[in-house]
Amino acid sequence: MRTTYRDAGKRRVGGIPFHRRHRRLIVTLVAVLVVVPVLGTAAYAYVLNTKLNGIDKVEKKLPEADRPDPDEGDAINILLIGSDKGKKIPGESGDTSIAEDAKADEWPAGKYRSDTMMVVHVTANRKYAFLTSIPRDTLTTIYDEQGRPQGMSKVNAAFSDYGPLGTQSTVEHLTGIRMQHFAIIDWAGFKDLSRAVGGVPVTIPRSFYDPQQKIQWEAGEQVLEGEQALSYVRTRYGLLRGDFDRIARQQNFLRAMMKKVLSKGTMRNPVKLVKTVSALTENLTVDGEWSGGDMRGLALSLRGVSTEDVIFLTAPVAGTETIDPYGSIARLDEAKTAELFDAYRKDNLRAYLKKYPDDVLKGEDEVS
């Protein structure tokens, strides 16, 4: 029987009973959350600082005009963007990285795709983190790297056409909250991460065939590594809810990977731990204002956070339809979405979670 919000009185978030005792954590914080607490020597600290300081940076930033006010207090909002490797387009080199292209005078429109956008909120008291996925087909106004409106389109067009700053501005206007930082993760990096931890166990509740990737997924627990792990987070064909089930799979994989990283086999293995941090940082690009020292400081403040204290959500969707010229689109429930991000802005999701307990990610054995 599925545990309900009211049944989960043993676990509380912000003073209220929470839906389930899930273990969740975001991949952008894997390194800083799990490495710093176990640093026992100067050598480990040196390795961590070296890796964090070596992350690619995008030095450009949005103009301050027409941006939401920074959150009061010390709460932090981070925009997590999942990107593919990019393709070669006319007049552009296919060998340049996202960081190199973001630093260039002109973003190579159409080179990269992002089917994953997540808004991460770390509470001011550093006890909890909330992560909300925004469906890639969400129809909204797109903004460019100068924060100027460019008309309506699917939200993932922002990254393809205007890069990380355009995506940041688009999401800020959509949610009404300011993103202190952004982090771009190459989804192909999941191959390296899954290998670094020795495979990630997930449960597939029913067997089905993915005609797009030509993969038969068998029901039961599987340990995913390399290409298979990447295929898992990319799957949407053959799933009952398509892209919405893919979002759930991505979140499910993140929490399963975090559970594996926090296991004794990884935490007590220096070689495996360094490989995990390396796999993350080598596939990560962040904004120029997010220094390695700041990330390490955030980690120190989050030492008391467990994987049970990170909650996955998805922006509320009112419905889907197919319209010209956008094709299949998703329309957010405007009133409910406003409630959600107002709770983010106020750094208090107590009322929202109490009102919508079933909006959190399902249990580990319930995700398609």
Side-chain angles (χ1 to χ4, degrees):
M1 181 180 296
R2 182 181 177 185
T3 304
T4 66
Y5 180 89
R6 287 178 290 275
D7 295 330
K10 296 180 181 179
R11 186 76 179 99
R12 290 179 175 266
V13 174
I16 59 171
F18 181 55
H19 173 61
R20 299 191 70 150
R21 293 179 62 94
H22 287 324
R23 292 178 292 272
R24 304 179 167 98
L25 203 54
I26 50 174
V27 73
T28 48
L29 297 181
V30 168
V32 293
L33 284 181
V34 305
V35 180
V36 171
V38 296
L39 294 178
T41 67
Y44 273 124
Y46 174 78
V47 170
L48 176 65
N49 287 333
T50 299
K51 294 297 182 182
L52 292 179
N53 290 332
I55 294 175
D56 286 326
K57 302 288 181 62
V58 177
E59 300 297 342
K60 299 178 181 179
K61 63 181 181 179
L62 286 169
E64 287 300 313
D66 199 30
R67 294 187 67 193
D69 290 335
D71 289 345
E72 295 182 2
D74 296 320
I76 296 176
N77 296 311
I78 303 164
L79 175 61
L80 176 61
I81 305 169
S83 174
D84 62 10
K85 278 286 189 183
K87 64 181 180 180
K88 184 173 177 56
I89 59 176
E92 296 287 341
S93 170
D95 298 328
T96 53
S97 66
I98 289 177
E100 291 170 330
D101 287 328
K103 294 174 184 177
D105 292 336
E106 185 175 347
W107 172 258
K111 181 176 179 178
Y112 299 98
R113 293 189 309 168
S114 174
D115 289 339
T116 303
M117 295 179 194
M118 301 179 181
V119 178
V120 180
H121 179 84
V122 181
T123 59
N125 62 13
R126 297 300 187 264
K127 292 184 177 180
Y128 305 99
F130 298 87
L131 184 153
T132 296
S133 293
I134 300 175
R136 66 168 193 165
D137 290 337
T138 298
L139 186 64
T140 189
T141 301
I142 302 299
Y143 291 79
D144 66 15
E145 62 275 8
Q146 296 298 321
R148 299 169 301 202
Q150 298 295 321
M152 299 288 289
S153 191
K154 297 181 184 181
V155 70
N156 63 348
F159 189 73
S160 179
D161 293 343
Y162 302 108
L165 294 186
T167 307
Q168 182 180 8
S169 182
T170 297
V171 173
E172 285 188 344
H173 281 87
L174 176 63
T175 62
I177 60 176
R178 186 184 180 108
M179 305 292 142
Q180 278 86 352
H181 300 292
F182 66 75
I184 308 168
I185 293 181
D186 177 4
W187 280 117
F190 274 109
K191 294 186 294 184
D192 298 333
L193 281 166
S194 61
R195 290 185 181 122
V197 300
V200 177
V202 297
T203 299
I204 298 175
R206 68 175 182 87
S207 299
F208 70 95
Y209 180 69
D210 177 357
Q212 179 72 15
Q213 300 187 96
K214 297 181 173 57
I215 296 175
Q216 174 68 34
W217 295 100
E218 299 294 345
E221 183 174 296
Q222 299 186 29
V223 178
L224 305 182
E225 187 173 343
E227 289 289 348
Q228 193 177 32
L230 183 58
S231 295
Y232 178 84
V233 297
R234 283 179 166 172
T235 297
R236 66 187 176 101
Y237 292 94
L239 297 174
L240 296 177
R241 299 188 306 142
D243 196 52
F244 299 111
D245 278 339
R246 175 167 64 175
I247 289 173
R249 274 191 159 212
Q250 291 170 351
Q251 295 181 346
N252 189 49
F253 186 87
L254 295 184
R255 72 177 171 193
M257 182 166 61
M258 194 63 239
K259 179 180 179 181
K260 183 64 180 288
V261 170
L262 287 176
S263 68
K264 293 180 180 178
T266 300
M267 293 284 283
R268 295 182 180 178
N269 186 324
V271 174
K272 185 177 289 187
L273 197 55
V274 170
K275 284 183 178 179
T276 302
V277 178
S278 297
L280 174 66
T281 56
E282 289 169 7
N283 292 283
L284 189 66
T285 301
V286 302
D287 62 277
E289 296 181 342
W290 204 5
S291 69
D294 288 344
M295 284 185 271
R296 189 172 186 274
L298 176 61
L300 290 171
S301 71
L302 289 168
R303 282 177 294 180
V305 175
S306 72
T307 50
E308 295 177 347
D309 301 322
V310 183
I311 298 90
F312 282 102
L313 304 160
T314 299
V317 174
T320 61
E321 58 184 297
T322 301
I323 59 174
D324 291 330
Y326 313 110
S328 178
I329 61 98
R331 294 191 185 277
L332 296 186
D333 183 322
E334 294 185 5
K336 192 174 176 182
T337 298
E339 282 187 74
L340 172 62
F341 290 113
D342 185 57
Y344 269 49
R345 191 179 304 106
K346 294 176 179 177
D347 194 28
N348 183 0
L349 276 86
R350 178 171 52 193
Y352 186 88
L353 291 176
K354 184 176 181 179
K355 187 174 182 180
Y356 306 109
D358 292 332
D359 280 12
V360 299
L361 180 65
K362 294 179 179 179
E364 296 173 3
D365 59 350
E366 298 177 88
V367 176
S368 296

